[in-house]
Amino acid sequence: MITRLLLLGATGDMAGRHLLPALAESAAAGTLPAGLQVVGAAPQDWDDAAFRAHVSARLAAHAADVPAGVRAALVAGLRYRQVDLADPATVAAAVAAFDEGPVAAYLALPPTAFPAALTALGEAGLPDGSRIAVEKPFGADLAGAAELDALLTKVTGGVEEAAYRVDHFLGMPGVQALLALHAPGSPLVPGWGSDSIASVEVLWEESLGLAGRSGFYDRNGAIRDVLQNHLLQSLTLLVMEQPATDSEADLHAAKLAALRAVRVTDPAATRRARYAAGTLASGDPVPDYADDPEVDPARGTETFVELQLAVDTPRWAGTRFLVRTGKALARDHKGVALHFRGSAPQVDPALAERVADDQLWVTLDGAVQADGDVDVHAPGERTAYRQVLADVLSGGSRTSVSSAETEQAWRVVDPVLRAWSAGAVPLAEYPAGSGGPS
């Protein structure tokens, strides 16, 4: 168990909205390892007191349900180091802030900063047994992901267990339940495949706009921010064969085999769009995405994307698959729709909801209640990041994506990016707060 956590980018949005609240909730649950040391590192010229004040405010905003005493105790133990990723000596000094032992270095940074951070960590020389957790998106295309992976492999000495490619969706209870849908004993097992299931939709539709993330988002877009990683991983858990054993190695092997069978049916038939001025479901007006001061309209970044896929395995030949995600839509609609050729089987309501005679709906964005059921009204992302941090510190990999899985996911998406770059798919628009492009 690693008990030294270095948060690179500790003053940013990722740390403030997800990682630090997840630490606070874990502390409240008593699941943090004894003696955990946390050092935040970022460019600001701050001392420990300034960083603690910042974190207190972030926890008040994003973890107000965690007891105040727990939050105060967590904050009191935090330390801070100013770093410049272009100056490896400052990163080495942040690593040296800990006592002896392995360090978990978490890159809560914009993707453009990953190479510099990895290079600096390599020069700093992490202690044996350390791990490096890299947030998504991992690369911007297949070639870029391969370059980043080569650097990560170099820095970690080729030890796959030391490289942690984060996909927090894999820690969300609703996503984890996808594998249980077709586990032995499930009523869906006898008809699990194209003979019974005509089509599958994997959806992550959000009513929120960019909520202060426009600078990051404009360099990635919907396909890189959500679809290439989160939605393809969710799809993989649905279509994969059951792992040979409960081991993490067999889980990753089964996921990889499934990903290798996924393809886009026609890259030129995909849909992409960005939102125009409108009113969000919350009632808040928003301007055109292209008018955001942090956005470069010339990039043509999409806030909505839809792909049609096929899974070339005997089980799924003939089933149509659709994956879609978008921002500033009319409602939050996050889940998996299973459309059956006949009547849908009766299943445990904790796993799926029968929304029509021939359709089951699986909610992805939910949190686990005390009785073990999934609460579809509570966001599951903090729960997911609790699992991510637990895995990073303990050596687990269920919320990590292997190098080969990352490569296969980019193989699926790359033909779409090329078609878009060639102008084969026009960039449409939709009013914010609407159902999306027509």
Side-chain angles (χ1 to χ4, degrees):
M1 177 71 73
I2 297 176
T3 58
R4 300 156 190 85
L5 177 62
L6 174 63
L7 291 180
L8 289 168
T11 60
D13 187 68
M14 168 61 64
R17 283 196 304 129
H18 297 303
L19 294 174
L20 291 163
L23 277 173
E25 190 174 79
S26 298
T31 57
L32 291 179
L36 178 67
Q37 306 170 44
V38 181
V39 173
Q44 287 90 342
D45 185 11
W46 288 357
D47 58 12
D48 290 349
F51 179 58
R52 290 168 183 164
H54 167 82
V55 174
S56 291
R58 297 296 273 172
L59 292 181
H62 299 291
D65 55 326
V66 175
V70 174
R71 286 184 273 139
L74 173 67
V75 169
L78 298 176
R79 291 179 289 160
Y80 181 79
R81 294 292 184 273
Q82 183 182 12
V83 296
D84 177 357
L85 297 179
D87 181 1
T90 64
V91 177
V95 173
F98 298 101
D99 56 20
E100 292 185 3
V103 173
Y106 200 112
L107 274 58
L109 299 164
T112 53
F114 291 164
L118 290 173
T119 300
L121 287 169
E123 294 192 25
L126 292 174
D128 291 343
S130 294
R131 304 188 91 185
I132 299 176
V134 184
E135 266 290 345
K136 57 86 189 168
F138 193 85
D141 52 24
L142 180 56
E147 291 179 9
L148 184 60
D149 196 60
L151 179 56
L152 181 58
T153 299
K154 178 182 177 181
V155 172
T156 56
V159 180
E160 176 66 19
E161 293 77 12
Y164 201 96
R165 303 165 193 84
V166 176
D167 193 323
H168 75 274
F169 262 43
L170 296 172
M172 295 177 68
V175 175
Q176 292 176 339
L178 296 178
L179 190 55
L181 276 179
H182 54 103
S186 167
L188 293 178
V189 167
W192 191 249
S194 60
D195 287 347
S196 297
I197 300 176
S199 63
V200 176
E201 297 172 272
V202 183
L203 310 174
W204 191 262
E205 300 177 336
E206 299 180 87
S207 61
L208 292 176
L210 292 173
R213 299 175 66 233
S214 54
F216 161 84
Y217 197 91
D218 196 48
R219 291 170 175 79
N220 296 284
I223 196 168
R224 294 181 174 95
D225 186 45
V226 175
L227 191 146
Q228 182 272 342
N229 34 70
H230 301 328
L231 296 193
L232 285 185
Q233 284 290 316
S234 300
L235 175 67
T236 298
L237 292 175
L238 270 176
V239 303
M240 64 187 277
E241 298 300 315
Q242 287 290 319
T245 71
D246 289 336
S247 73
E248 293 183 351
D250 282 342
L251 172 65
H252 286 290
K255 287 168 59 184
L256 178 60
L259 268 172
R260 284 176 170 152
V262 177
R263 62 178 171 85
V264 175
T265 55
D266 181 1
T270 58
R271 294 205 295 160
R272 64 180 183 128
R274 67 185 179 194
Y275 64 78
T279 303
L280 300 179
S282 62
D284 297 323
V286 291
D288 279 6
Y289 171 82
D291 290 339
D292 189 303
E294 295 187 31
V295 164
D296 179 0
R299 287 196 180 102
T301 301
E302 79 290 347
T303 61
F304 173 101
V305 59
E306 179 183 279
L307 310 183
Q308 296 185 47
L309 306 173
V311 180
D312 295 325
T313 63
R315 181 183 298 277
W316 294 109
T319 297
R320 301 183 303 277
F321 293 89
L322 181 144
V323 289
R324 181 170 69 237
T325 184
K327 294 280 191 183
L329 295 171
R331 60 171 177 159
D332 290 315
H333 196 51
K334 304 170 182 178
V336 173
L338 302 171
H339 299 267
F340 290 79
R341 299 187 189 279
S343 182
Q346 297 290 340
V347 297
D348 186 340
L351 292 179
E353 179 185 2
R354 191 184 178 99
V355 295
D357 182 63
D358 63 347
Q359 184 181 345
L360 295 179
W361 172 258
V362 184
T363 296
L364 295 182
D365 186 26
V368 176
Q369 296 176 318
D371 60 6
D373 287 342
V374 174
D375 178 3
V376 299
H377 302 294
E381 291 196 84
R382 193 199 299 170
T383 300
Y385 271 102
R386 281 184 58 186
Q387 186 61 54
V388 167
L389 289 169
D391 282 350
V392 168
L393 296 174
S394 69
S397 67
R398 289 189 179 273
T399 53
S400 174
V401 179
S402 70
S403 173
E405 289 173 64
T406 300
E407 177 183 333
Q408 288 300 316
W410 280 117
R411 175 197 56 77
V412 173
V413 168
D414 255 23
V416 178
L417 296 177
R418 290 196 295 270
W420 290 4
S421 180
V425 181
L427 180 66
E429 286 194 340
Y430 60 97
S434 71
S438 58

